[in-house]
């Protein structure tokens, strides 16, 4: 681990070496809570952020860096120190700079979803760095990629618990983008769950979706919004049944 951190922190290190270092950190952080804490104590988060800042033009390094930060941020206790190291800004910058790269978009959205679970402070930093709008843009750019959409919905579901972010995203048309993603990927359970949560946070009801569908000329023109309303009702029923069974 010290060698990996040193490689990431070395000025002028080849992009391939830095990418390897980020990938190793991502793997270690994915293993266990102990692995994530060991990486954090060794300065791995700061090293990853430094490598991402130095090599902003490399999409594969940004992808590996976002994955490493996403895995580290799955440990909620590490969200605050990660934010202090500038991880949120690095992920937002990667999402914006490589908006057309689906692999970067997926990992960036996953990282934002984990950061946003950390509470009001990280949500505010994501909002200020334009992370919510970047996630929304990623969903719009990669509408056929279910993995991007599910991580985007996860990011928006968590971020829209923050009032300012919810207001910003609602004004940017997040409701329609989320509903469209849910309609196109009805079999993706993770996407459906987070889509329901995000729409609820944005203040949409099934009736709202039906009205939008009718105003747009039916299910085809409205992005299948009425089918999304039905899916949301089914998801709510499923969740209620699980609660009762528990």
């Amino acid at each position: 681990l010290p060698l990996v951190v040193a490689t990431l922190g070395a000025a002028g290190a080849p992009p391939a070496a830095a990418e390897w270092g980020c990938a190793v950190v991502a793997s270690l952080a994915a293993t266990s809570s102990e692995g994530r804490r060991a990486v954090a104590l060794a300065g791995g988060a700061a090293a990853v952020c430094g490598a991402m800042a130095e090599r902003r033009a490399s999409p594969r390094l940004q992808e590996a860096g976002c994955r490493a930060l996403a895995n580290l941020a799955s440990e909620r206790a590490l969200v605050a120190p990660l934010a202090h190291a500038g991880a949120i800004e690095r992920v937002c910058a990667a999402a914006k700079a490589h908006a057309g790269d689906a692999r970067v978009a997926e990992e960036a959205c996953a990282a934002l979803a984990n950061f946003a679970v950390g509470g009001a402070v990280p949500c505010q930093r994501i909002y200020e760095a334009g992370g919510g709008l970047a996630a929304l843009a990623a969903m719009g750019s990669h509408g056929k990629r279910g993995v991007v959409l599910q991580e985007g919905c996860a990011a928006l579901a968590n971020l829209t618990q923050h009032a300012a972010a919810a207001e910003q995203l609602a004004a940017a048309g997040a409701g329609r983008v989320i509903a469209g993603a849910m309609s196109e990927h009805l079999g993706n359970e993770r996407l459906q769950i987070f889509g329901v949560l995000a729409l609820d946070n944005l203040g949409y009801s099934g009736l709202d979706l039906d009205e939008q569908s009718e105003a747009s000329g039916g299910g085809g023109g409205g992005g299948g919004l009425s089918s999304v309303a039905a899916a949301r009702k089914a998801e709510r029923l499923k969740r209620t049944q699980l609660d009762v069974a528990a």
Side-chain angles (χ1 to χ4, degrees):
L1 186 54
L3 175 60
V4 173
V5 173
T7 300
L8 286 171
E19 182 183 335
W20 167 81
C22 288
V24 172
V25 169
S27 296
L28 291 172
T31 57
S32 64
S33 176
E34 290 74 16
R36 288 184 285 276
R37 292 175 183 273
V39 169
L41 287 172
V48 168
C49 290
M52 292 176 71
E54 186 176 344
R55 302 165 184 83
R56 302 181 189 189
S58 170
R60 299 288 68 84
L61 186 143
Q62 297 299 315
E63 174 196 358
C66 285
R67 182 166 61 252
L69 296 177
N71 290 348
L72 286 168
S74 66
E75 188 83 18
R76 189 173 298 191
L78 296 180
V79 170
L82 284 166
H84 182 71
I88 289 173
E89 288 74 17
R90 291 273 57 83
V91 169
C92 293
K96 294 176 187 176
H98 301 280
D101 191 301
R103 289 159 60 180
V104 175
E106 176 188 350
E107 300 298 347
C109 286
L112 292 173
N114 287 345
F115 285 131
V117 175
V121 173
C123 281
Q124 179 66 25
R125 293 187 71 155
I126 293 171
Y127 167 72
E128 292 174 354
L133 294 178
L136 185 62
M139 294 176 67
S141 297
H142 305 285
K144 299 300 181 182
R145 296 290 295 266
V147 289
V148 175
L149 296 176
Q150 74 178 25
E151 298 306 330
C153 280
L156 297 185
N158 293 340
L159 188 56
T160 50
Q161 297 181 68
H162 181 63
E167 182 178 353
Q168 179 191 57
L169 289 164
R176 183 166 295 279
V177 173
I178 295 166
M182 294 174 69
S183 177
E184 288 291 328
H185 300 273
L186 290 171
N188 187 322
E189 185 176 8
R190 177 178 168 85
L191 188 157
Q192 296 297 320
I193 290 172
F194 283 113
V196 167
L197 294 173
L199 289 173
D200 285 347
N201 291 341
L202 290 167
Y204 281 83
S205 66
L207 180 60
D208 293 331
L209 297 175
D210 286 331
E211 288 175 347
Q212 287 190 41
S213 180
E214 291 172 6
S216 303
L225 294 176
S226 59
S227 66
V228 171
R232 293 181 69 212
K233 291 174 184 176
E235 182 59 45
R236 279 208 183 90
L237 177 60
K238 179 179 178 182
R239 287 159 59 191
T240 300
Q241 290 172 335
L242 288 174
D243 290 341
V244 171

